[in-house]
Amino acid sequence: MLEQAVDPFGRIANYYQDLVQKYGHDPRACDYGRPQSQEIKFRVLSEAMPVKCRSVLDVGCGFADFHRFLRDNFGEVRYSGIDVCPAMVEEARRLDPGCEVKLANILDDSIRERFDLVTANGIFYLLGDEAWPTMQEIVRRMYAVAEHAVAFNSLSSWAEDKEAGEFYADPAEVLQFCRTLTPWVVLRHDYHPRDFTIYMYKTAKA
């Protein structure tokens, strides 16, 4: 219990390190049951704003598969990825040597640059006992380094089938929190019964 509260990121890095060693470059190493789930979540995140020729920071990038999804579907994107798991970062660099991926935590002061879009895919569910305050801290930091928009997803407390040991955020509570940072927010709960996505904007979309 104390370990989860003190260093959830070290524990999460070790968790994914084991999955990478077991599966290699495979959606299962990112803890996906089905490859289609990853594709759906990538698509929803990419719909936050036009991304062609824009800068994107992918928080918890894993193998940087989101970069390949964006490149294949939208063409040129100025992509940067960060992750807390060394094995993920090493494999991402091996798969695409030209892709900018580094070992970093969004909560570190090392992220100084601003990005048009800041995204996070599936990074909250293993945060443990302090998941909700840590999630708020991460979202605040993502919003601070975003030039135009933030898009992130989470397991939903509205899900009927929950797995023990995973954090399921309340979509309404998350939406309310995001509105303390900006009035320009969108909640999407229309693509998967156990998952939701939030878009946050610095200015009005309409």
Side-chain angles (χ1 to χ4, degrees), residues 2-77:
L2 181 62
E3 179 187 359
Q4 287 191 353
V6 172
D7 184 21
F9 302 106
R11 173 176 47 78
I12 290 168
N14 291 334
Y15 177 80
Y16 282 107
Q17 194 93 0
D18 291 342
L19 290 179
V20 173
Q21 291 176 357
K22 183 176 181 179
Y23 296 114
H25 181 220
D26 187 285
R28 290 173 295 178
C30 299
D31 221 3
Y32 283 103
R34 301 182 307 124
Q36 294 86 347
S37 297
Q38 185 181 58
E39 184 84 5
I40 290 169
K41 293 179 182 182
F42 283 172
R43 176 180 55 77
V44 173
L45 289 172
S46 72
E47 291 172 354
M49 63 172 283
V51 294
K52 185 174 182 179
C53 298
R54 297 298 188 103
S55 59
V56 177
L57 175 63
D58 185 10
V59 178
C61 65
F63 298 124
D65 292 322
F66 189 43
H67 176 231
R68 285 174 283 279
F69 173 88
L70 294 174
R71 184 181 59 200
D72 292 347
N73 287 276
F74 303 103
E76 185 62 31
V77 176

Side-chain angles (χ1 to χ4, degrees), residues 85-148:
C85 176
M88 288 286 194
V89 172
E90 182 180 350
E91 183 66 5
R93 291 170 173 170
R94 186 192 68 80
L95 291 165
D96 189 352
C99 183
E100 182 181 335
V101 179
K102 64 180 180 179
L103 186 67
N105 188 323
I106 186 64
L107 298 181
D108 295 339
D109 292 335
S110 60
I111 311 299
R112 301 292 179 88
E113 186 181 349
R114 290 171 66 89
F115 301 84
D116 293 321
L117 173 64
V118 181
T119 66
N121 179 31
I123 69 169
F124 303 116
Y125 75 108
L126 293 177
L127 285 175
D129 297 333
E130 298 298 314
W132 175 227
T134 305
M135 180 180 185
Q136 293 176 76
E137 190 178 0
I138 291 171
V139 172
R140 283 193 195 97
R141 180 63 179 150
M142 291 173 63
Y143 189 74
V145 301
E147 189 70 37
H148 297 292

